[in-house]
Amino acid sequence: MQAPVAHLTFPPEAVYQLSDSDSGLEAVIVLHSTRFGPAAGGCRVWRYENRQAMNHDALRLAEGMAYKNVMAELPLGGGKSVINLPIGDFDRSKLFRAFGRKIQELKGQYVTAEDVGTSVRDMETIHTETPFVAGLTPKGDLPGGDPSPWTALGVFKSMQTAARYKFGSDLAGLSVAVQGLGHVGSALCELLHQAGARLIVAETQATLAANVASKFGAEVVSPSAILSAQCDVFAPCAMGAVLTSENIAALKARVVCGAANNILATGEAGDILAERDVLYAPDYVVNAGGIINVCAEYFGWSVSEVNGRVVASGERLAQVFRHAEETGLAPHRAADALARGKLALGSRATVAAA
Ligand code: NAI
């Protein structure tokens, strides 16, 4: 393990470069902040061209987790780990056991869970080497397992706040364009349907789109048409960087509120949204439901505690909108300012740990 490799907007506390020739592990763990508790954030498995690209992704994601966790008022710091997907055949169990031993060496400074490319099974493998892991198979009525329904609920409550803010109404009768109908997107569609919203959806896997169309009466459009769909709200629930300075002109929605991490390709894209009077709900404020569930599992909180904290996503978003109004900042910059202020000043979470 080595010292930090790079600095971002708000520098990380530590960056650990990991390798293990026996298992083929090539990975990095970034502790962005441990001020409020162990640096928590999922483990991503992805194929990177080189270590520099892997580090860059991990640093960016860890900073995002620090902001997400502090804004969600969790007793957690922010961190992330990334494993470079080995080329060719490899022993997955051996790889995650080696990774688990590296996490154990950090003695609880970093807590991992699922992210893109990892599963409950991988977390169970890590758990054979270290207790500093969540996203395990749920035990009885306790929180755990797939966090997506909680993420969807947080996005839904946030969208209600954004609709009230922008249109002065609830979601009934509004049209929402949902991009991506995976774990979060499909659960969000169910909540929106129950709330009386009209759905327009796009998904690269046709069967998922057909399923949502038949269950919730959604109109299906092609993935290339969803961004410019005639709608009130655009909800990106697929991949990041969907809104760029170039493609925002095509957007018809007056509100953007979705689960995807890093929806804005750049900060400038957020500025352009604000100039065009499109209300942007900062992603890491609205999509914290999953990490709230992970936090609850790790600390042994109840499901009702999770529910209360996820439902409060809407109120936390309202605070960001108020700060944006008071300061004249665009919402994404207002959220960053609030998060950095909390991290820098060390202001304690206002919701006490259970
Ligand atoms: P998922 O992988 O289950 O679903 C994503 C879906 O998007 C897939 O069905 C995929 O086929 C579809 N898709 C990919 N490219 C597309 C495109 N161009 N147009 C339309 N559909 C496309 O992922 P999940 O778990 O639903 O997460 C969705 C997003 O929310 C991701 O960006 C994830 O990082 C983020 N997120 C998820 C959380 C969770 O609890 N699952 C927590 C916080 C953020």
Side-chain angles (χ1 to χ4, degrees), residues 120-139:
V120 173
R121 194 168 169 189
D122 297 328
M123 297 307 119
E124 295 287 358
T125 306
I126 291 171
H127 195 226
T128 62
E129 302 287 345
T130 181
F132 306 118
V133 53
L136 304 169
T137 310
K139 292 182 190 70

Side-chain angles (χ1 to χ4, degrees), residues 110-245:
Y110 171 66
V111 177
T112 200
E114 291 89 348
D115 192 67
V116 173
T118 50
S119 65
V120 173
R121 194 168 169 189
D122 297 328
M123 297 307 119
E124 295 287 358
T125 306
I126 291 171
H127 195 226
T128 62
E129 302 287 345
T130 181
F132 306 118
V133 53
L136 304 169
T137 310
K139 292 182 190 70
D141 293 339
L142 292 171
D146 178 14
S148 309
W150 293 112
T151 303
L153 179 62
V155 174
F156 175 73
K157 299 308 288 184
S158 302
M159 203 183 285
Q160 284 181 319
T161 294
R164 277 195 291 274
Y165 214 81
K166 186 71 183 173
F167 306 114
S169 72
D170 61 22
L171 292 166
L174 293 186
S175 51
V176 183
V178 181
Q179 179 187 45
L181 303 172
H183 293 93
V184 181
S186 53
L188 178 63
C189 283
E190 182 166 7
L191 294 169
L192 289 169
H193 176 67
Q194 285 163 0
R198 191 171 70 79
L199 292 169
I200 304 164
V201 298
E203 167 58 59
T204 45
Q205 300 181 55
T207 48
L208 292 178
N211 189 31
V212 167
S214 77
K215 272 184 169 162
F216 311 127
E219 176 192 345
V220 180
V221 300
S222 72
S224 61
I226 193 76
L227 192 135
S228 57
Q230 192 68 53
C231 63
D232 299 305
V233 181
F234 177 50
C237 296
M239 63 293 182
V242 281
L243 289 178
T244 66
S245 301

